[in-house]
Amino acid sequence: MTVLVAIKAVATVDEEFELADDGLDVAPEFVERELNEWDSYAVEAALRLRESGALDEEIVLVTVGDEDAEEALRAGLAMGADRAVRVWDDSLPGVLGPLAAARLLAAVAAEMSPSLVLCGAQSADAAYGATGVALAAYLKLPHAAVVRELSYSADAIEVTRELEGGLLQRLRLRTPAVLTVQTGINEPRYATLRAIKQAEAKELDLTDPASLGVAIGDLPEAVLDRVYVPAVEGAAEMLEGTPDEVAARIAEVVEREMAA
Amino acid sequence: MMTRGEAPADGPYAVLFEPVEVGPVTLRNRFYATPQCSGFGADRPHAQAYHRAMKAAGGFAVVHTEWCAIHPEADEWPAVTGRLWDEDDARNLGLMVEMVHAEGALAGVQLGFNGAHSENLETRRPARGITQVPSNTFHFHSCYEMTEAEIVELQGFYVEAALRAREVGFDVINVCANENAGIPLQFLMRAYNRRDDRYGGPFENRARFLLELLERLRGALGDSCALTVRLAVETHHDGDLGMRPEHEARRVIEMADDLVDLWDLEVTGRSMAEWGESAGPSRFHREGYQLAAVEKARSATAKPVVNVGRFVHPEAMVDAVRRGVIDLVGMARPGIADPFLPTKIRENRVDEIRECIGCNICISRYEQKATIVCTQNATIGEEYRRGWNPERFEPAADADRDVLVIGAGPAGMECALVLARRGMRRVHLVDRERELGGHLRWVTQLPGLGEWARVVDYRKIALAKLRNATFVPGTELSAADVLEYGAELVVVANGSSWARDGLNGFDHAPIRGADASLPHVLVPEQVMVEGKPVPDGPVLVYDCEGYYMAASLAERLAREGREVTFVTPFAEVAPYMDYTLEAIGMNRLLRGLGVALVPQHRVAEVAAGAVRGHHVHDEAADVEWPVAATVLCTQRVSDAHLFRTLEADPEGLEQAGIEGLYRIGDCFVPRIAAESVFEGHRLGREIDSPDPSEPLGFPRERLLV
């Protein structure tokens, strides 16, 4: 049996950047990819379940992404996951929506019949918070989102979720189930150099939508029109001069705006 | 890319890159590297030239020498200063001129003659002075009172030195009238000038020496060089004994303005020993602290004005220029911490500036008659002999290795940074604490030492930008963990701890009853980190180290309202702070806070309720201090166990694939942070040498027979 952890190689953007010529994303030279922070908590949760003896199963990472996503998979393998699967086809759009990603992840999960599926509660870049939930729907499995505590037994999982207003919610789910975890559920481990090196030798399979029986044209995909920096609304006025001059100008502006 | 020194078209800092005309020369921007000791004088011409040229390469418009003695009667040896006694001295400084010019900057030289303050230890010549009064800075040393003819002759020494400097290409000739040192300043001050001839008495007479001197220099130099004066506008003397910006300073500036191309105005203290008012440590002075005094004198001149004040923030520089207080931003220490400060501002890389922390360790080496070092910039002074450039790192020959650095204090952070910049495959910097910094995490919480956190901030920002560097917090590694970690190179930098039994260098033994596991005995980490309560009542702080720790803890406790007694075997409180120009201020501060200062006393026994000791030179002179708590700052002890355990297991290292095991910083020998940073840097630079644990040699500039 398997614990499946779905992860994403999220984009981190330099402080200063430019948009790509097609207007659909930040230009690649300003982007770096890394393991989504929330997903590192999901990997850690899987490792801790195994280390506590609650379950003794292979931990498999899965992601949908191009070659640049492999570093994030390797990071999860270095933490202690056993192997990884990457789903990709060059005809997939560079920025994939959560439903399309979930559809492909579900196809991988269906082949493994995992006893538990873990995801991060959201991705740091797109932040839909939807992929894990959609994955549960495709798999027709019970799910809980934004989990901050969990305990596992052979037939049920108990989780604690955080609600607005400081309330906590305690749930019990039958297994298998899909959980999306919140940061703070644990403290993700740092991989040692030895673990990083060992991760380089771990199995990393590449598959594509066709092999999983998914037609790319059937993926539920919103069409991305453009990514842009919003026009600045309301003019910002930079005040220059000595502190006294600037103070005088601020007083003028305040009086003007109060009068308006 | 813009070329060096060129102005950015716009942006908030553009004003700093406007050219400024100074007499016959044009400065390419407003960054002005003032005369700065210590350099390498005229005796180490290569080190001098490479050191000064680095600032030119970093974008400064003009780079000065240090104070240069114009004549053998102004001999500062063994302090490292410049000399212009003859053509050979000038020729040696000429290499600096050549290299500074090659980087597109102008070269400046400072002409110095200090009267009674020159000990003349090498030349053994009596020094001429204004009035026969001994130096208040160098003990048991006086001068002879000049005749008018000897005054004229002295002016001639200046002219001859200036011509020698011009001959080798200096563009800016600066007259030292600052820090109680330059004799032109001494002439101006009643505190030094008790003459009743035409050079003494009324201010017009006291100003005569400088005016005649400038006339003669101008006459000799013509328009071939800029002629500038570095003038103390405030000397903190009582009444009219010294310089006040709105009185003596304004008057002399008005009188001499036509003869001068630029005024370098500064604030200093009452004696030469108090030049910590000029080179203000961050403990007592904030950025731009001299501007208020300079502003009072500024309107007396139509010429450009420069002032130092440990400027590191471009906003503060722009503000001072826009307000019209200064035309040029003077820098010595900020340009030591980061010679490329102008370039980084121009290229909008402000977060990459290694900001000066104002610890004055650079100056400490001058005071110790040694050459320059810096806590922030390990490469300073190493430009020639080690060939280091603070911004350039060669790819390591063994860059395919993974490195584990244990301990994220000054040594570990710097080593990890250099190794990452040299392209090592992966560098893991591991610390048991959650944050970078090592002991600086809590030392910077001591009163007055907040700016020292810049050592951590710079490295934190720089490491975060390097993909091959990872900080692993909250992880304490045993020797077995290190073997398991998987690194080919292991650097141990896990620091030191304060002795908990009073072990110290005066007794070479622990102190009876000193046991920091007892409630009434504490060491610095317990007070600052562990939250151990200091029992109510009077506190005794015992200092056998002599630098900042005990004094700062005494200050902190006194500020908390505690009754504090400071006991030390040293002849004075915190003698190492004499080197950093903090001692006078620290003594004043502690006295002001009501701390009882007890130098020359040894603690023999620590008991509950009382500490017993005696005078260092009279064991019969017993003293008992009734105190509720004792804070022991006796010595630091290296945390050497991890390194020694690993070192003792060569088979384990080999099996683990560890090819190199090194130790740096306080876990090797507890020293000042600058040495820890240097050691981390040095190991990083030489990680691919035949034996990285052994520093590579360097050329020494010496005469061979």
Side-chain angles (χ1 to χ4, degrees):
Chain A
M1 292 287 277
T2 301
V3 174
L4 189 65
V5 185
I7 67 130
K8 181 178 181 186
V10 293
T12 60
V13 178
D14 297 345
E15 259 175 56
E16 289 180 31
F17 61 88
E18 290 168 20
L19 295 177
D21 292 338
D22 64 7
L24 295 181
D25 205 346
V26 176
E29 60 266 36
F30 300 99
V31 177
E32 284 182 348
R33 305 278 291 276
E34 62 182 30
L35 176 61
N36 180 35
E37 184 190 358
W38 280 263
D39 298 344
S40 68
Y41 289 85
V43 175
E44 181 67 32
L47 295 168
R48 288 189 186 201
L49 284 175
R50 185 163 69 182
E51 285 161 4
S52 71
L55 43 75
D56 180 25
E57 292 174 16
E58 187 186 37
I59 296 170
V60 181
L61 307 179
V62 58
T63 195
V64 180
D66 61 15
E67 225 172 53
D68 289 344
E70 290 205 354
E71 204 179 319
L73 286 172
R74 293 284 177 208
L77 291 171
M79 288 176 71
D82 300 298
R83 64 184 180 89
V85 178
R86 178 167 69 89
V87 183
W88 190 245
D89 185 297
D90 281 339
S91 59
L92 284 167
V95 181
L96 205 63
L99 295 184
R103 177 70 192 86
L104 292 164
L105 294 169
V108 174
E111 290 186 349
M112 291 183 195
S113 303
S115 52
L116 180 65
V117 179
L118 294 170
C119 313
Q122 66 169 84
S123 61
D125 52 358
Y128 281 100
T131 308
V133 183
L135 175 56
Y138 282 122
L139 293 173
K140 298 189 168 55
L141 291 178
H143 84 275
V146 202
V147 170
R148 64 167 235 178
E149 278 175 39
L150 80 93
S151 66
Y152 182 94
S153 67
D155 48 321
I157 305 171
E158 279 190 13
V159 303
T160 306
R161 301 180 61 239
E162 206 170 60
L163 304 183
E164 290 295 316
L167 284 174
L168 294 180
Q169 191 182 52
R170 198 75 187 271
L171 299 169
R172 193 174 314 132
L173 297 84
R174 63 179 159 69
T175 59
V178 178
L179 307 179
T180 70
V181 304
Q182 178 62 305
T183 58
I185 187 174
N186 52 45
E187 195 174 332
R189 69 198 60 194
Y190 284 85
T192 64
L193 289 163
R194 184 176 305 281
I196 292 168
K197 287 173 193 170
Q198 285 166 348
E200 286 168 5
K202 286 182 180 174
E203 186 184 334
L204 199 161
D205 294 326
L206 176 63
T207 186
D208 57 23
S211 309
L212 294 167
V214 179
I216 292 174
D218 292 345
L219 286 172
E221 184 61 73
V223 177
L224 177 62
D225 280 341
R226 66 177 183 129
V227 166
Y228 61 100
V229 179
V232 180
E233 286 179 25
E237 188 184 352
M238 293 301 291
L239 304 180
E240 291 187 354
T242 67
D244 287 347
E245 288 165 5
V246 170
R249 280 288 296 133
I250 291 172
E252 272 176 42
V253 171
V254 169
E255 275 173 31
R256 187 184 69 206
E257 295 298 320
M258 298 270 285
Chain B
M1 287 295 287
M2 290 173 293
T3 56
R4 255 195 314 269
E6 188 182 314
D10 51 18
Y13 313 136
V15 68
L16 301 175
F17 296 92
E18 293 168 355
V20 179
E21 282 183 16
V22 175
V25 301
T26 302
L27 275 55
R28 60 183 171 181
N29 59 41
R30 297 185 190 270
F31 291 92
Y32 189 104
T34 54
Q36 164 228 302
C37 71
S38 59
F40 293 86
D43 294 348
R44 293 185 184 86
H46 292 91
Q48 173 78 308
Y50 281 70
H51 168 61
R52 304 291 177 183
M54 196 62 79
K55 290 195 192 192
F60 281 90
V62 58
V63 182
H64 282 79
T65 61
E66 62 272 63
W67 180 96
C68 293
I70 58 167
H71 188 269
E73 266 186 48
D75 162 30
E76 303 271 295
W77 184 87
V80 181
T81 55
R83 284 170 172 175
L84 278 168
W85 296 353
D86 58 21
E87 282 72 19
D88 288 344
D89 285 335
R91 187 177 123 186
N92 275 3
L93 291 173
L95 183 59
M96 164 195 160
V97 177
E98 212 174 281
M99 289 185 65
V100 166
H101 283 172
E103 297 291 352
L106 303 177
V109 64
Q110 187 178 42
L111 307 183
F113 191 97
N114 289 359
H117 293 315
S118 285
E119 293 185 287
N120 299 342
L121 295 177
E122 183 171 16
T123 61
R124 305 182 72 174
R125 288 179 71 142
R128 67 186 72 195
I130 302 163
T131 303
Q132 190 168 54
V133 175
S135 170
N136 52 9
T137 302
F138 300 101
H139 302 310
F140 212 76
H141 187 262
S142 192
C143 58
Y144 66 90
E145 185 168 312
M146 284 182 276
T147 63
E148 290 194 14
E150 284 161 343
I151 289 174
V152 173
E153 185 184 43
L154 172 58
Q155 290 165 345
F157 297 161
Y158 274 92
V159 172
E160 287 160 25
L163 290 174
R164 286 192 281 269
R166 183 184 69 175
E167 192 58 32
V168 297
F170 279 103
D171 311 282
V172 180
I173 307 287
N174 175 259
V175 173
C176 168
N178 57 289
E179 281 162 9
N180 283 246
I183 206 161
L185 177 69
Q186 296 172 10
F187 265 102
L188 294 171
M189 296 195 288
R190 287 193 195 280
Y192 285 82
N193 186 344
R194 301 175 64 82
R195 301 176 73 96
D196 54 12
D197 60 3
R198 55 197 295 271
Y199 291 97
F203 191 75
E204 296 72 32
N205 282 0
R206 285 183 274 137
R208 188 180 315 279
F209 178 83
L210 179 62
L211 291 170
E212 288 178 359
L213 173 61
L214 292 172
E215 271 169 21
R216 288 182 65 178
L217 284 169
R218 180 56 86 196
L221 295 169
D223 275 344
S224 57
C225 303
L227 179 58
T228 68
V229 176
R230 192 165 207 202
L231 178 74
V233 297
E234 168 66 84
T235 57
H236 293 110
H237 283 86
D238 295 329
D240 63 353
L241 285 175
M243 297 293 289
R244 292 166 296 179
E246 58 278 67
H247 299 290
E248 293 82 4
R250 286 191 67 93
R251 286 189 69 187
V252 72
I253 290 169
E254 281 164 5
M255 292 161 85
D257 210 33
D258 287 345
L259 298 164
V260 168
D261 295 319
L262 168 145
W263 292 97
D264 179 352
L265 304 180
E266 67 142 34
V267 172
T268 194
R270 258 180 302 193
S271 69
M272 196 165 154
E274 289 178 72
W275 69 287
E277 295 301 310
S278 162
S282 62
R283 184 188 286 281
F284 301 119
H285 295 292
R286 299 276 84 86
E287 179 172 16
Y289 68 98
Q290 301 191 8
L291 290 172
V294 169
E295 198 166 11
K296 290 178 189 163
R298 203 265 173 260
S299 59
T301 172
K303 301 293 172 65
V305 165
V306 60
N307 165 239
V308 294
R310 218 161 44 76
F311 289 105
V312 295
H313 295 109
E315 292 80 8
M317 302 171 200
V318 168
D319 185 57
V321 171
R322 284 250 158 89
R323 283 166 51 211
V325 185
I326 54 174
D327 304 284
L328 295 147
V329 185
M331 287 181 205
R333 291 170 295 164
I336 294 167
D338 199 334
F340 286 75
L341 185 147
T343 297
K344 290 176 182 178
I345 293 174
R346 197 190 66 231
E347 294 175 357
N348 236 332
R349 297 188 286 130
V350 172
D351 67 339
E352 293 178 27
I353 296 172
R354 275 184 312 278
E355 295 174 336
C356 170
I357 68 170
C359 66
N360 279 2
I361 280 297
C362 49
I363 290 163
S364 80
R365 289 302 163 95
Y366 170 77
E367 295 288 328
Q368 290 182 291
K369 323 295 183 200
T371 51
I372 194 163
V373 301
C374 175
T375 306
Q376 277 284 53
N377 179 7
T379 70
I380 209 76
E382 304 293 349
E383 299 89 350
Y384 166 68
R385 63 178 193 173
R386 287 189 160 92
W388 292 353
N389 176 314
E391 306 301 316
R392 263 188 235 142
F393 297 88
E394 298 298 319
D398 51 359
D400 57 342
R401 308 298 206 279
D402 288 335
V403 190
L404 168 63
V405 181
I406 302 149
M413 285 189 294
E414 180 72 2
C415 190
L417 184 57
V418 173
L419 289 168
R421 284 178 168 160
R422 296 199 63 201
M424 303 305 288
R425 185 167 54 175
R426 301 183 197 91
V427 179
H428 276 208
L429 177 60
V430 179
D431 199 280
R432 66 178 173 216
E433 302 297 337
R434 308 292 316 172
E435 295 291 332
L436 291 165
H439 74 287
L440 287 181
R441 283 178 311 110
W442 56 274
V443 161
T444 51
Q445 305 298 314
L446 288 163
L449 300 185
E451 284 191 26
W452 292 19
R454 293 172 176 179
V455 174
V456 186
D457 296 341
Y458 165 74
R459 286 162 184 82
K460 187 176 183 177
I461 291 167
L463 283 164
K465 289 182 181 176
L466 289 158
R467 292 280 283 178
N468 57 342
T470 305
F471 174 52
V472 180
T475 304
E476 183 152 18
L477 299 177
S478 67
D481 295 332
V482 172
L483 296 180
E484 268 302 299
Y485 201 89
E488 286 85 34
L489 304 174
V490 174
V491 180
V492 183
N494 60 338
S496 64
S497 315
W498 286 87
R500 298 198 171 209
D501 58 1
L503 182 65
N504 68 82
F506 286 88
D507 302 325
H508 281 249
I511 296 168
R512 198 166 354 121
D515 175 357
S517 67
L518 299 170
H520 62 279
V521 183
L522 300 99
V523 293
E525 292 99 333
Q526 290 177 324
V527 178
M528 296 299 298
V529 187
E530 295 167 26
K532 180 175 174 180
V534 183
D536 288 338
V539 184
L540 186 146
V541 177
Y542 187 46
D543 183 23
C544 297
E545 196 196 40
Y547 190 20
Y548 64 86
M549 181 57 71
S552 296
L553 280 171
E555 178 187 347
R556 182 184 152 108
L557 290 164
R559 286 187 188 281
E560 287 171 1
R562 309 298 288 253
E563 185 185 329
V564 180
T565 301
F566 185 100
V567 180
T568 180
F570 291 109
E572 56 177 306
V573 171
Y576 202 88
M577 286 197 198
D578 272 337
Y579 302 139
T580 59
L581 313 182
E582 294 169 287
I584 295 169
M586 198 69 206
N587 273 266
R588 281 199 189 118
L589 177 68
L590 291 177
R591 288 180 60 84
L593 289 168
V595 176
L597 302 175
V598 188
Q600 290 196 300
H601 279 73
R602 229 177 229 188
V603 165
E605 182 182 8
V606 179
V611 172
R612 283 175 277 279
H614 54 78
H615 192 278
V616 287
H617 303 311
D618 183 0
E619 300 205 358
D622 290 337
V623 190
E624 182 170 303
W625 297 278
V627 291
T630 300
V631 180
L632 297 170
C633 302
T634 57
Q635 72 163 77
R636 290 172 293 161
V637 180
S638 292
D639 293 337
H641 178 73
L642 179 63
F643 178 83
R644 289 300 189 199
T645 306
L646 289 164
E647 182 189 48
D649 183 14
E651 281 175 25
L653 292 172
E654 195 182 335
Q655 281 168 14
I658 295 173
E659 302 162 6
L661 171 68
Y662 311 104
R663 61 182 155 162
I664 52 173
D666 288 352
C667 79
F668 197 170
V669 181
R671 281 160 291 169
I672 54 172
E675 291 304 336
S676 293
V677 172
F678 169 80
E679 206 160 59
H681 193 99
R682 201 283 306 165
L683 181 62
R685 290 267 184 187
E686 298 179 357
I687 197 67
D688 46 0
S689 75
D691 177 6
S693 61
E694 187 63 30
L696 293 172
F698 48 79
R700 289 185 285 151
E701 296 183 71
R702 56 184 164 168
L703 278 174
L704 291 176
V705 292

